[in-house]
Amino acid sequence: MRKPALLFTRELPGGGYVAIEAERSENATYRARLSVERRSDPTRRNGHYPPVIAESMGATAARVFDELYRIAADNVEIAKGLLRWQSQRLAQH
């Protein structure tokens, strides 16, 4: 399995970072994910992944990047995404 390409990353105030990764599927569409690493330490416990707060699919890498970049560049939107992610996790348990 091929690893997704890292398209964007930036540090967050107070530690951690936000990242956009994308991969091309077999049917020539692109799928991108916006994840938020809340830990300052770049090493994670094995098997634990950062929260994915947004996803996008589209015909080009540029299209999916543009859609997720609007969120990744805005700290308020990242906070809202994390709140939604936490709410969904609580609803599942």
Side-chain angles (χ1 to χ4, degrees), residues 2-92:
R2 200 168 54 181
K3 194 173 184 178
L6 181 62
L7 302 180
F8 174 80
T9 186
R10 78 172 176 94
E11 291 183 16
L12 293 172
Y17 62 90
V18 62
I20 299 173
E21 298 177 308
E23 59 189 348
R24 190 173 183 179
S25 67
E26 292 179 14
N27 62 359
T29 60
Y30 288 85
R31 179 179 174 189
R33 292 176 294 281
L34 171 58
S35 58
V36 180
E37 174 55 76
R38 297 168 292 176
R39 301 174 190 192
S40 298
D41 182 0
T43 58
R44 295 189 64 82
R45 292 189 319 249
N46 199 13
H48 291 253
Y49 301 99
V52 174
I53 63 166
E55 294 182 283
S56 179
M57 291 184 74
T60 66
R63 177 168 284 168
V64 295
F65 173 80
D66 287 346
E67 185 176 325
L68 295 180
Y69 179 78
R70 289 184 197 100
I71 300 167
D74 186 334
N75 292 336
V76 173
E77 288 302 315
I78 292 169
K80 288 179 186 178
L82 282 170
L83 288 172
R84 281 190 300 274
W85 178 82
Q86 289 171 333
S87 175
Q88 290 169 352
R89 285 193 56 192
L90 288 173
Q92 293 173 353

